[in-house]
Amino acid sequence: MMLQRKNRLRALSLGALAVSGALALTACGSDDNGNNTGTGKPASSASAGSIKCDNAKGQLLADGSSAQKNAIDAWVKNFSQACGVQINYKGGGSGAGVTAFTQGQVAFAGSDSALKPEEVTASKKICNGGQGIDLPMVGGPIALGYNVPGVDNLVLDAPTLAKIFDSKITNWNDKAIAKLNPGVKLPSLKIQAFHRSDESGTTDNFTKYLIATTPDNWKYSGGKAWQAKGGQSAPQSAGVAQQVKQTSGAIGYFELSYVKDGIKAVSVNTGASKPVAPSTESATADIAAAKVVGTGKDLSLQLDYKTKAEGAYPITLVTYEIVCDKGNKADTLPATKAFLRYIASEDGQKILSTIDYAPVPDEIIAKVRTTIDGLS
C-alpha cells in the first residue's frame, strides 16, 4: 500500500513538472509571432546555413507598415537565430515608418506606399550622398473583413464599398447589397465601418482602388490619411481587425493574415465572370501585371486596380522596405544588407505564401536583390 502511494505521488510530481515546463515554454513564446503569425499556419523556416550573415552584428531599429508585420516577425525569427542580430520592428504604420526614416531614427522603414518627392528630398539629409529608395518586398491582398451574423459569403463591388465607407449605405439589408447577393438573407443591421486612425499605406492603396474604379462615388484625393466622413477608427491593421471581430455589423480593411477568429472576407465583383476572393494566388495574379515606375535604383510599382482578369483580386498592396541607396550608417549597414538580402532571397520569399502574403514576382525581386548588393 505504501509503495503504491509513493508511485502515485511520483507520477503526480512528474506530471506537474511536465505541465509547468509546457507553461514555461508557452510563456517564453507568447510574444513570438515568427512561428505562428496569427493565421493558424506555421511559418516556413530557413536553415541557418541558407542565411548569409556577412558580419552582421548588433541590433537594428525599424518601423512602418503594420500590414507586413506578420511577415517581418517570421523573417526576424529566422534571421536572428542564424545571425544573433536583434531587430526591433515597431509596425506603427507606414506614415510613422517614413517619418522615422527621414528623421534618421531607423535603419530601414516599411511602407505600403512609395516615397513621395518631398519625402525623397527629406531623406537626402540622412542618406549621406544618397537618398531613400523603395524596394518592393511583400505583396498581398487588402481584405475587406466583415462580421455579419448569418452571412458566410458576401459579394460587394467598388461602388457599394465606396458608399459603405462614405456612410452613404448604412444598413446591411440595403438594396444595393441585396442585388449583389441574391438568395442571401441579409439582416436589418447597422453597418459599422472601421478605418485606420493612423497614416497608413493600406488606407492609401484601398482608396486608390476606389478612386480608380468608382470616382463618381469616391470624390476624395486619397493618401495615407483617411478622408471620408463618418465611420469609426482604430490604429494599425491589428486594431481595425480587433474592432471588426468584436463588433456585430462591422466591416474594415486590412491585410489578409488578419482575417481569422470570426472575421470573414468579402469577395469582390470586378466585372469578371465570377467574384474574386482575396488570396495569395488572386493577389499574385494582379501584382504580376505591375510595372516598375521608379527611376534609378528606386523600384516603386504601379498596380492595376481596375483589372477584370479572371481570378485577379484588384485590391492589392506591395510593401516596400525603404533604405538609403548610399550613405547608410556604417554601424548598421552590414546587418541591414544581410537582413534585406535574406528576405529578398528565394528562402525568404517562400515564407510569404505560407502566411497569406504574395511573393514579389521573379523579374522584380531579381532587381531588388541586385540593388541590395549595391547598397553602401
Side-chain angles (χ1 to χ4, degrees):
M1 192 75 174
M2 182 64 70
L3 180 61
Q4 288 178 341
R5 187 178 176 212
K6 285 183 178 180
N7 288 338
R8 188 162 57 249
L9 289 172
R10 183 172 179 271
L12 288 171
S13 177
L14 289 172
L17 284 171
V19 171
S20 65
L23 289 173
L25 288 171
T26 303
C28 289
S30 62
D31 293 326
D32 182 2
N33 293 325
N35 193 40
N36 187 332
T37 58
T39 63
K41 303 176 183 177
S44 296
S45 61
S47 64
S50 69
I51 298 176
K52 297 180 181 179
C53 300
D54 293 335
N55 300 315
K57 59 183 179 180
Q59 62 178 349
L60 293 179
L61 296 179
D63 196 2
S65 164
S66 64
Q68 72 164 356
K69 182 68 164 60
N70 290 335
I72 289 286
D73 286 345
W75 282 330
V76 165
K77 177 184 174 68
N78 291 338
F79 184 77
S80 295
Q81 285 179 344
C83 301
V85 176
Q86 180 182 349
I87 300 177
N88 180 6
Y89 183 82
K90 295 181 180 179
S94 296
V98 171
T99 297
F101 177 75
T102 56
Q103 292 179 353
Q105 298 171 355
V106 294
F108 69 92
S111 177
D112 306 322
S113 299
L115 290 168
K116 296 178 181 178
E118 62 269 25
E119 293 168 340
V120 173
T121 299
S123 73
K124 293 179 179 180
K125 297 178 182 179
I126 58 102
C127 298
N128 188 16
Q131 66 180 50
I133 56 172
D134 302 286
L135 301 177
M137 205 70 75
V138 183
I142 299 174
L144 280 305
Y146 70 95
N147 176 0
V148 182
V151 179
D152 294 327
N153 296 290
L154 182 68
V155 176
L156 298 173
D157 59 10
T160 308
L161 284 166
K163 292 173 184 176
I164 286 173
F165 281 91
D166 199 23
S167 303
K168 301 290 177 59
I169 292 179
T170 59
N171 199 290
W172 281 110
N173 66 357
D174 188 275
K175 291 181 180 179
I177 300 176
K179 185 176 180 181
L180 291 165
N181 296 274
V184 176
K185 188 176 181 180
L186 297 166
S188 178
L189 179 65
K190 182 181 178 180
I191 295 174
Q192 308 278 359
F194 285 89
H195 58 265
R196 290 280 289 272
S197 60
D198 54 319
E199 289 202 355
S200 160
T202 310
T203 293
D204 191 16
N205 283 275
F206 176 48
T207 55
K208 278 179 180 175
Y209 161 75
L210 296 176
I211 291 167
T213 54
T214 184
D216 290 344
N217 294 300
W218 194 261
K219 299 182 180 296
Y220 303 97
S221 60
K224 292 187 182 76
W226 185 258
Q227 297 172 325
K229 308 300 180 184
Q232 302 179 64
S233 65
Q236 285 88 52
S237 293
V240 175
Q242 180 62 29
Q243 291 299 319
V244 171
K245 176 184 175 180
Q246 65 188 26
T247 306
S248 180
I251 185 171
Y253 57 90
F254 32 77
E255 197 277 324
L256 182 60
S257 66
Y258 292 94
V259 176
K260 60 186 184 200
D261 299 337
I263 300 176
K264 298 179 177 64
V266 170
S267 293
V268 177
N269 183 338
T270 64
S273 63
K274 295 180 180 179
V276 185
S279 69
T280 296
E281 295 75 19
S282 62
T284 298
D286 183 57
I287 295 171
K291 298 177 181 179
V292 176
V293 294
T295 57
K297 294 184 178 180
D298 187 271
L299 296 174
S300 55
L301 303 176
Q302 183 178 65
L303 298 170
D304 184 8
Y305 298 105
K306 299 173 72 174
T307 184
K308 294 183 180 179
E310 297 296 329
Y313 185 78
I315 318 175
T316 57
L317 60 76
V318 170
T319 298
Y320 303 95
E321 310 312 330
I322 297 171
V323 67
C324 297
D325 58 353
K326 298 178 182 178
N328 290 279
K329 294 178 181 179
D331 59 339
T332 58
L333 178 60
T336 299
K337 287 184 70 171
F339 180 66
L340 294 179
R341 186 181 290 118
Y342 161 57
I343 68 178
S345 70
E346 185 176 346
D347 280 342
Q349 289 290 299
K350 275 182 179 178
I351 289 176
L352 295 176
S353 60
T354 70
I355 49 177
D356 291 330
Y357 291 96
V360 176
D362 291 343
E363 182 179 345
I364 298 172
I365 202 67
K367 295 179 181 178
V368 171
R369 291 166 186 157
T370 300
T371 302
I372 292 169
D373 286 340
L375 298 179
S376 62

